[in-house]
Amino acid sequence: MSGQSKDQILEQIAGLKNEMQESIAAASSAEALQDLKVRFLGKKGTLTGILKGLASLSGEDRGAVGKTANELKLWYEGANEKKEGELRAARMASLATEEFIDLTPLPSGLVMGDSPARPGTLHPTTILQRELEQIFTKMGFAIADGPEVETDFYNFEALNFTDDHPAREMQDTFYTKDGTLLRTHTSSVQVRTLQKNGAPLRIVAPGRVYRYEEIDASHEHTFYQMEGMVIDKKVNVANLLYLMQTLLKEVFRRKVTVRLRPGYFPFVEPGFELDMQCEICKGKGCAVCKHSGWVEVLPCGLVHPNVIRLAGFDPNEWQGAAFGLGLTRLVMLRYGIEDIRLQMNPDIQFASQFTRGIQLQEAL
Ligand code: PHE
């Protein structure tokens, strides 16, 4: 076999470098680059083939050609790597425009860690509050809001509780160090709204209230109310009772057994306690109704003339009806919850059983 000369082999190597250069420049994907590498440097590759010719060279020449071949290999690897980097960068740049992925149809937040997160549900108090707000809105009421940290004036004085009024004792109060208090009822919102919006007026004020109470199955220091007030030129007890009956019928979606007793509240005259037969024991007596068979749900009355006067209106011209719905207690009656403390409990399993299946999105 006629051996090749050193120069011939070096020429082949130089030619190969040109071919490599052009091929790399033309490669348009990582796969193409990989194929080229096999073609040029693989066991059956071009360079290996050229180097077979080394056998016929003298030791000195073989060393020189071997060095050149090695340099070519190193150069190739560098060029290959550079091209890989360029292709990767180009791919990333095109991803943003060419492979736009629309994530909007995917449910958001449904995976937490490795396990799917459950969809949120509404607390039974929130469900009932929203339902009542709808009922009242249909009856022409506006929803009013007010502060939970209240002044003595709006919580007591404007509602006809004088300084030394024994009725203040009825509502054990949390006082703050600076002389304000945590509202003991949402009646505090009534005078605020009357002062602000004027008469005639129809409002309900839903919200959280606080009492310094010993906690048991039917008493909490924190609970929810929804108090309402109607101020108009002519309001009487018949109007009030009709309103209360309509309300309870809407809430329970059936006729409920109620009884009316005289009740005392400084801001109404006359005042009533409207009791409902206990839904939990059906009147037989249980912890919720303190074994009486009846639960107070709706204290109400005609607004005391002093309250109307203190809000800046003439009680000879304006009259009113007011009622205080115990939202928390109503939730217990409606869902048959025997212990009021469960409602403030942060147990999600408790809260979610009333709304199973309702997706937060739907409910909002
Ligand atoms: N504000 C009273 C309470 O929380 C309830 C009430 C409201 C009574 C309206 C009569 C009229 O106890």
mmCIF file of all heavy atoms in Angstrom, residues 119-156:
data_model
loop_
_atom_site.group_PDB
_atom_site.id
_atom_site.type_symbol
_atom_site.label_atom_id
_atom_site.label_comp_id
_atom_site.label_asym_id
_atom_site.label_seq_id
_atom_site.Cartn_x
_atom_site.Cartn_y
_atom_site.Cartn_z
ATOM 1 N N PRO A 119 -61.009 23.173 46.605
ATOM 2 C CA PRO A 119 -61.554 24.507 46.353
ATOM 3 C C PRO A 119 -62.116 25.077 47.655
ATOM 4 O O PRO A 119 -62.576 24.323 48.514
ATOM 5 C CB PRO A 119 -62.658 24.253 45.332
ATOM 6 C CG PRO A 119 -62.943 22.794 45.386
ATOM 7 C CD PRO A 119 -61.721 22.115 45.911
ATOM 8 N N GLY A 120 -62.050 26.390 47.806
ATOM 9 C CA GLY A 120 -62.518 27.015 49.035
ATOM 10 C C GLY A 120 -64.029 26.969 49.156
ATOM 11 O O GLY A 120 -64.750 26.768 48.189
ATOM 12 N N THR A 121 -64.509 27.103 50.367
ATOM 13 C CA THR A 121 -65.946 27.148 50.588
ATOM 14 C C THR A 121 -66.251 28.331 51.498
ATOM 15 O O THR A 121 -65.359 28.850 52.151
ATOM 16 C CB THR A 121 -66.446 25.871 51.284
ATOM 17 O OG1 THR A 121 -65.692 25.707 52.498
ATOM 18 C CG2 THR A 121 -66.251 24.655 50.418
ATOM 19 N N LEU A 122 -67.500 28.725 51.539
ATOM 20 C CA LEU A 122 -67.872 29.852 52.384
ATOM 21 C C LEU A 122 -68.317 29.355 53.753
ATOM 22 O O LEU A 122 -68.898 28.283 53.884
ATOM 23 C CB LEU A 122 -69.005 30.637 51.730
ATOM 24 C CG LEU A 122 -68.633 31.324 50.419
ATOM 25 C CD1 LEU A 122 -69.862 31.949 49.794
ATOM 26 C CD2 LEU A 122 -67.563 32.379 50.661
ATOM 27 N N HIS A 123 -68.060 30.167 54.757
ATOM 28 C CA HIS A 123 -68.492 29.856 56.113
ATOM 29 C C HIS A 123 -70.018 29.975 56.177
ATOM 30 O O HIS A 123 -70.593 30.840 55.508
ATOM 31 C CB HIS A 123 -67.821 30.842 57.073
ATOM 32 C CG HIS A 123 -67.956 30.447 58.508
ATOM 33 N ND1 HIS A 123 -69.088 30.707 59.227
ATOM 34 C CD2 HIS A 123 -67.101 29.807 59.348
ATOM 35 C CE1 HIS A 123 -68.920 30.239 60.468
ATOM 36 N NE2 HIS A 123 -67.716 29.689 60.561
ATOM 37 N N PRO A 124 -70.670 29.120 56.967
ATOM 38 C CA PRO A 124 -72.136 29.196 57.020
ATOM 39 C C PRO A 124 -72.648 30.591 57.396
ATOM 40 O O PRO A 124 -73.706 31.017 56.906
ATOM 41 C CB PRO A 124 -72.524 28.160 58.079
ATOM 42 C CG PRO A 124 -71.254 27.736 58.737
ATOM 43 C CD PRO A 124 -70.161 28.003 57.762
ATOM 44 N N THR A 125 -71.906 31.318 58.235
ATOM 45 C CA THR A 125 -72.335 32.673 58.597
ATOM 46 C C THR A 125 -72.342 33.576 57.366
ATOM 47 O O THR A 125 -73.270 34.370 57.171
ATOM 48 C CB THR A 125 -71.390 33.278 59.659
ATOM 49 O OG1 THR A 125 -71.205 32.327 60.692
ATOM 50 C CG2 THR A 125 -71.949 34.559 60.222
ATOM 51 N N THR A 126 -71.309 33.426 56.546
ATOM 52 C CA THR A 126 -71.228 34.247 55.334
ATOM 53 C C THR A 126 -72.363 33.894 54.378
ATOM 54 O O THR A 126 -72.984 34.775 53.779
ATOM 55 C CB THR A 126 -69.870 34.007 54.628
ATOM 56 O OG1 THR A 126 -68.842 34.096 55.598
ATOM 57 C CG2 THR A 126 -69.640 35.005 53.519
ATOM 58 N N ILE A 127 -72.645 32.594 54.270
ATOM 59 C CA ILE A 127 -73.729 32.170 53.366
ATOM 60 C C ILE A 127 -75.041 32.800 53.790
ATOM 61 O O ILE A 127 -75.753 33.409 52.988
ATOM 62 C CB ILE A 127 -73.894 30.633 53.395
ATOM 63 C CG1 ILE A 127 -72.611 29.955 52.925
ATOM 64 C CG2 ILE A 127 -75.073 30.196 52.552
ATOM 65 C CD1 ILE A 127 -72.664 28.448 53.066
ATOM 66 N N LEU A 128 -75.331 32.699 55.094
ATOM 67 C CA LEU A 128 -76.602 33.224 55.579
ATOM 68 C C LEU A 128 -76.633 34.752 55.473
ATOM 69 O O LEU A 128 -77.652 35.338 55.100
ATOM 70 C CB LEU A 128 -76.846 32.778 57.031
ATOM 71 C CG LEU A 128 -78.254 33.054 57.539
ATOM 72 C CD1 LEU A 128 -79.290 32.282 56.736
ATOM 73 C CD2 LEU A 128 -78.395 32.698 59.012
ATOM 74 N N GLN A 129 -75.511 35.374 55.791
ATOM 75 C CA GLN A 129 -75.468 36.846 55.715
ATOM 76 C C GLN A 129 -75.775 37.315 54.287
ATOM 77 O O GLN A 129 -76.578 38.220 54.072
ATOM 78 C CB GLN A 129 -74.103 37.363 56.154
ATOM 79 C CG GLN A 129 -74.037 38.883 56.115
ATOM 80 C CD GLN A 129 -72.662 39.417 56.502
ATOM 81 O OE1 GLN A 129 -71.995 38.865 57.367
ATOM 82 N NE2 GLN A 129 -72.251 40.484 55.863
ATOM 83 N N ARG A 130 -75.143 36.661 53.305
ATOM 84 C CA ARG A 130 -75.377 37.075 51.914
ATOM 85 C C ARG A 130 -76.816 36.835 51.489
ATOM 86 O O ARG A 130 -77.410 37.617 50.766
ATOM 87 C CB ARG A 130 -74.429 36.329 50.989
ATOM 88 C CG ARG A 130 -73.020 36.797 51.218
ATOM 89 C CD ARG A 130 -72.096 36.291 50.165
ATOM 90 N NE ARG A 130 -70.763 36.784 50.431
ATOM 91 C CZ ARG A 130 -69.684 36.397 49.796
ATOM 92 N NH1 ARG A 130 -69.789 35.523 48.834
ATOM 93 N NH2 ARG A 130 -68.513 36.896 50.091
ATOM 94 N N GLU A 131 -77.352 35.702 51.968
ATOM 95 C CA GLU A 131 -78.737 35.396 51.636
ATOM 96 C C GLU A 131 -79.672 36.456 52.206
ATOM 97 O O GLU A 131 -80.571 36.955 51.528
ATOM 98 C CB GLU A 131 -79.051 34.029 52.248
ATOM 99 C CG GLU A 131 -79.891 33.167 51.377
ATOM 100 C CD GLU A 131 -80.106 31.829 52.045
ATOM 101 O OE1 GLU A 131 -79.174 31.007 52.010
ATOM 102 O OE2 GLU A 131 -81.193 31.612 52.614
ATOM 103 N N LEU A 132 -79.429 36.813 53.486
ATOM 104 C CA LEU A 132 -80.258 37.823 54.120
ATOM 105 C C LEU A 132 -80.110 39.181 53.435
ATOM 106 O O LEU A 132 -81.086 39.915 53.277
ATOM 107 C CB LEU A 132 -79.874 37.960 55.601
ATOM 108 C CG LEU A 132 -80.355 36.831 56.503
ATOM 109 C CD1 LEU A 132 -79.679 36.891 57.861
ATOM 110 C CD2 LEU A 132 -81.870 36.899 56.676
ATOM 111 N N GLU A 133 -78.900 39.488 53.033
ATOM 112 C CA GLU A 133 -78.689 40.763 52.347
ATOM 113 C C GLU A 133 -79.537 40.819 51.073
ATOM 114 O O GLU A 133 -80.096 41.849 50.726
ATOM 115 C CB GLU A 133 -77.210 40.959 52.017
ATOM 116 C CG GLU A 133 -76.396 41.326 53.251
ATOM 117 C CD GLU A 133 -74.901 41.444 52.982
ATOM 118 O OE1 GLU A 133 -74.485 41.257 51.827
ATOM 119 O OE2 GLU A 133 -74.160 41.716 53.942
ATOM 120 N N GLN A 134 -79.640 39.666 50.395
ATOM 121 C CA GLN A 134 -80.468 39.626 49.180
ATOM 122 C C GLN A 134 -81.941 39.813 49.518
ATOM 123 O O GLN A 134 -82.649 40.555 48.844
ATOM 124 C CB GLN A 134 -80.273 38.297 48.459
ATOM 125 C CG GLN A 134 -79.058 38.343 47.546
ATOM 126 C CD GLN A 134 -78.872 37.040 46.789
ATOM 127 O OE1 GLN A 134 -79.669 36.103 46.955
ATOM 128 N NE2 GLN A 134 -77.846 36.979 45.979
ATOM 129 N N ILE A 135 -82.369 39.113 50.578
ATOM 130 C CA ILE A 135 -83.772 39.227 50.986
ATOM 131 C C ILE A 135 -84.102 40.683 51.315
ATOM 132 O O ILE A 135 -85.094 41.244 50.855
ATOM 133 C CB ILE A 135 -84.055 38.332 52.220
ATOM 134 C CG1 ILE A 135 -83.913 36.852 51.835
ATOM 135 C CG2 ILE A 135 -85.435 38.620 52.800
ATOM 136 C CD1 ILE A 135 -83.979 35.897 53.021
ATOM 137 N N PHE A 136 -83.226 41.315 52.094
ATOM 138 C CA PHE A 136 -83.472 42.705 52.499
ATOM 139 C C PHE A 136 -83.376 43.672 51.324
ATOM 140 O O PHE A 136 -84.135 44.631 51.227
ATOM 141 C CB PHE A 136 -82.496 43.126 53.606
ATOM 142 C CG PHE A 136 -82.914 42.642 54.959
ATOM 143 C CD1 PHE A 136 -82.175 41.703 55.653
ATOM 144 C CD2 PHE A 136 -84.082 43.122 55.551
ATOM 145 C CE1 PHE A 136 -82.567 41.243 56.897
ATOM 146 C CE2 PHE A 136 -84.487 42.667 56.802
ATOM 147 C CZ PHE A 136 -83.721 41.727 57.475
ATOM 148 N N THR A 137 -82.445 43.399 50.448
ATOM 149 C CA THR A 137 -82.306 44.288 49.287
ATOM 150 C C THR A 137 -83.599 44.268 48.473
ATOM 151 O O THR A 137 -84.081 45.296 48.020
ATOM 152 C CB THR A 137 -81.107 43.857 48.417
ATOM 153 O OG1 THR A 137 -79.968 43.737 49.266
ATOM 154 C CG2 THR A 137 -80.795 44.870 47.345
ATOM 155 N N LYS A 138 -84.172 43.052 48.333
ATOM 156 C CA LYS A 138 -85.444 42.941 47.601
ATOM 157 C C LYS A 138 -86.548 43.737 48.274
ATOM 158 O O LYS A 138 -87.471 44.212 47.636
ATOM 159 C CB LYS A 138 -85.874 41.461 47.528
ATOM 160 C CG LYS A 138 -85.297 40.726 46.330
ATOM 161 C CD LYS A 138 -86.004 39.404 46.114
ATOM 162 C CE LYS A 138 -85.654 38.400 47.190
ATOM 163 N NZ LYS A 138 -86.195 37.056 47.010
ATOM 164 N N MET A 139 -86.450 43.849 49.618
ATOM 165 C CA MET A 139 -87.481 44.581 50.352
ATOM 166 C C MET A 139 -87.146 46.071 50.441
ATOM 167 O O MET A 139 -87.765 46.806 51.203
ATOM 168 C CB MET A 139 -87.645 43.994 51.774
ATOM 169 C CG MET A 139 -88.150 42.557 51.763
ATOM 170 S SD MET A 139 -88.857 42.027 53.354
ATOM 171 C CE MET A 139 -87.436 41.738 54.334
ATOM 172 N N GLY A 140 -86.158 46.501 49.706
ATOM 173 C CA GLY A 140 -85.868 47.936 49.640
ATOM 174 C C GLY A 140 -84.902 48.449 50.689
ATOM 175 O O GLY A 140 -84.785 49.660 50.897
ATOM 176 N N PHE A 141 -84.202 47.532 51.357
ATOM 177 C CA PHE A 141 -83.234 47.952 52.370
ATOM 178 C C PHE A 141 -81.853 48.165 51.750
ATOM 179 O O PHE A 141 -81.478 47.480 50.801
ATOM 180 C CB PHE A 141 -83.099 46.882 53.462
ATOM 181 C CG PHE A 141 -84.232 46.874 54.451
ATOM 182 C CD1 PHE A 141 -85.494 46.410 54.076
ATOM 183 C CD2 PHE A 141 -84.041 47.327 55.747
ATOM 184 C CE1 PHE A 141 -86.544 46.392 54.983
ATOM 185 C CE2 PHE A 141 -85.085 47.312 56.661
ATOM 186 C CZ PHE A 141 -86.337 46.843 56.275
ATOM 187 N N ALA A 142 -81.097 49.096 52.327
ATOM 188 C CA ALA A 142 -79.693 49.255 51.937
ATOM 189 C C ALA A 142 -78.842 48.553 52.991
ATOM 190 O O ALA A 142 -79.273 48.385 54.129
ATOM 191 C CB ALA A 142 -79.335 50.732 51.870
ATOM 192 N N ILE A 143 -77.649 48.128 52.591
ATOM 193 C CA ILE A 143 -76.750 47.458 53.530
ATOM 194 C C ILE A 143 -75.802 48.519 54.094
ATOM 195 O O ILE A 143 -75.114 49.196 53.331
ATOM 196 C CB ILE A 143 -75.912 46.354 52.826
ATOM 197 C CG1 ILE A 143 -76.779 45.498 51.898
ATOM 198 C CG2 ILE A 143 -75.151 45.512 53.847
ATOM 199 C CD1 ILE A 143 -77.804 44.633 52.580
ATOM 200 N N ALA A 144 -75.776 48.652 55.420
ATOM 201 C CA ALA A 144 -74.936 49.683 56.031
ATOM 202 C C ALA A 144 -73.790 49.042 56.812
ATOM 203 O O ALA A 144 -73.906 47.928 57.312
ATOM 204 C CB ALA A 144 -75.774 50.545 56.965
ATOM 205 N N ASP A 145 -72.709 49.786 56.883
ATOM 206 C CA ASP A 145 -71.509 49.273 57.538
ATOM 207 C C ASP A 145 -71.032 50.304 58.560
ATOM 208 O O ASP A 145 -71.305 51.496 58.418
ATOM 209 C CB ASP A 145 -70.432 49.052 56.466
ATOM 210 C CG ASP A 145 -69.374 48.075 56.934
ATOM 211 O OD1 ASP A 145 -69.569 47.464 58.001
ATOM 212 O OD2 ASP A 145 -68.363 47.940 56.228
ATOM 213 N N GLY A 146 -70.319 49.831 59.568
ATOM 214 C CA GLY A 146 -69.791 50.766 60.571
ATOM 215 C C GLY A 146 -68.630 50.133 61.299
ATOM 216 O O GLY A 146 -68.345 48.954 61.120
ATOM 217 N N PRO A 147 -67.951 50.903 62.134
ATOM 218 C CA PRO A 147 -66.742 50.397 62.795
ATOM 219 C C PRO A 147 -67.038 49.397 63.913
ATOM 220 O O PRO A 147 -68.068 49.497 64.586
ATOM 221 C CB PRO A 147 -66.099 51.657 63.372
ATOM 222 C CG PRO A 147 -67.231 52.615 63.538
ATOM 223 C CD PRO A 147 -68.236 52.304 62.478
ATOM 224 N N GLU A 148 -66.108 48.452 64.093
ATOM 225 C CA GLU A 148 -66.258 47.494 65.195
ATOM 226 C C GLU A 148 -65.741 48.086 66.491
ATOM 227 O O GLU A 148 -66.206 47.751 67.575
ATOM 228 C CB GLU A 148 -65.508 46.189 64.864
ATOM 229 C CG GLU A 148 -66.211 45.395 63.795
ATOM 230 C CD GLU A 148 -65.514 44.087 63.449
ATOM 231 O OE1 GLU A 148 -64.808 43.516 64.290
ATOM 232 O OE2 GLU A 148 -65.690 43.638 62.299
ATOM 233 N N VAL A 149 -64.741 48.953 66.399
ATOM 234 C CA VAL A 149 -64.305 49.692 67.583
ATOM 235 C C VAL A 149 -65.112 50.981 67.575
ATOM 236 O O VAL A 149 -65.011 51.784 66.657
ATOM 237 C CB VAL A 149 -62.788 49.984 67.541
ATOM 238 C CG1 VAL A 149 -62.372 50.773 68.774
ATOM 239 C CG2 VAL A 149 -61.996 48.686 67.448
ATOM 240 N N GLU A 150 -65.934 51.147 68.596
ATOM 241 C CA GLU A 150 -66.974 52.171 68.557
ATOM 242 C C GLU A 150 -66.830 53.133 69.738
ATOM 243 O O GLU A 150 -66.155 52.835 70.730
ATOM 244 C CB GLU A 150 -68.326 51.421 68.584
ATOM 245 C CG GLU A 150 -69.559 52.168 68.264
ATOM 246 C CD GLU A 150 -69.478 53.071 67.050
ATOM 247 O OE1 GLU A 150 -68.836 54.129 67.173
ATOM 248 O OE2 GLU A 150 -70.056 52.755 65.996
ATOM 249 N N THR A 151 -67.473 54.277 69.622
ATOM 250 C CA THR A 151 -67.487 55.203 70.761
ATOM 251 C C THR A 151 -68.681 54.877 71.654
ATOM 252 O O THR A 151 -69.651 54.251 71.212
ATOM 253 C CB THR A 151 -67.653 56.653 70.276
ATOM 254 O OG1 THR A 151 -68.895 56.734 69.561
ATOM 255 C CG2 THR A 151 -66.512 57.072 69.353
ATOM 256 N N ASP A 152 -68.594 55.324 72.895
ATOM 257 C CA ASP A 152 -69.696 55.122 73.830
ATOM 258 C C ASP A 152 -70.964 55.785 73.283
ATOM 259 O O ASP A 152 -72.064 55.267 73.428
ATOM 260 C CB ASP A 152 -69.311 55.724 75.193
ATOM 261 C CG ASP A 152 -70.380 55.490 76.238
ATOM 262 O OD1 ASP A 152 -71.318 56.327 76.338
ATOM 263 O OD2 ASP A 152 -70.307 54.467 76.928
ATOM 264 N N PHE A 153 -70.778 56.919 72.589
ATOM 265 C CA PHE A 153 -71.934 57.647 72.073
ATOM 266 C C PHE A 153 -72.774 56.779 71.146
ATOM 267 O O PHE A 153 -73.975 56.610 71.339
ATOM 268 C CB PHE A 153 -71.497 58.932 71.355
ATOM 269 C CG PHE A 153 -72.659 59.688 70.767
ATOM 270 C CD1 PHE A 153 -73.507 60.448 71.581
ATOM 271 C CD2 PHE A 153 -72.940 59.618 69.407
ATOM 272 C CE1 PHE A 153 -74.599 61.120 71.041
ATOM 273 C CE2 PHE A 153 -74.028 60.289 68.861
ATOM 274 C CZ PHE A 153 -74.859 61.051 69.686
ATOM 275 N N TYR A 154 -72.141 56.201 70.104
ATOM 276 C CA TYR A 154 -72.930 55.445 69.119
ATOM 277 C C TYR A 154 -73.395 54.094 69.629
ATOM 278 O O TYR A 154 -74.429 53.587 69.221
ATOM 279 C CB TYR A 154 -72.144 55.282 67.823
ATOM 280 C CG TYR A 154 -72.075 56.564 67.046
ATOM 281 C CD1 TYR A 154 -70.880 57.261 66.904
ATOM 282 C CD2 TYR A 154 -73.225 57.104 66.469
ATOM 283 C CE1 TYR A 154 -70.823 58.454 66.200
ATOM 284 C CE2 TYR A 154 -73.181 58.289 65.770
ATOM 285 C CZ TYR A 154 -71.970 58.969 65.637
ATOM 286 O OH TYR A 154 -71.948 60.143 64.958
ATOM 287 N N ASN A 155 -72.615 53.485 70.530
ATOM 288 C CA ASN A 155 -73.019 52.164 71.023
ATOM 289 C C ASN A 155 -74.111 52.278 72.099
ATOM 290 O O ASN A 155 -74.976 51.419 72.196
ATOM 291 C CB ASN A 155 -71.816 51.419 71.593
ATOM 292 C CG ASN A 155 -72.087 49.925 71.746
ATOM 293 O OD1 ASN A 155 -72.024 49.177 70.790
ATOM 294 N ND2 ASN A 155 -72.410 49.497 72.956
ATOM 295 N N PHE A 156 -74.030 53.361 72.910
ATOM 296 C CA PHE A 156 -74.966 53.476 74.041
ATOM 297 C C PHE A 156 -75.764 54.787 74.056
ATOM 298 O O PHE A 156 -76.985 54.780 73.987
ATOM 299 C CB PHE A 156 -74.195 53.363 75.363
ATOM 300 C CG PHE A 156 -73.682 51.962 75.639
ATOM 301 C CD1 PHE A 156 -72.344 51.734 75.911
ATOM 302 C CD2 PHE A 156 -74.549 50.884 75.639
ATOM 303 C CE1 PHE A 156 -71.878 50.454 76.180
ATOM 304 C CE2 PHE A 156 -74.095 49.595 75.911
ATOM 305 C CZ PHE A 156 -72.749 49.377 76.172
#
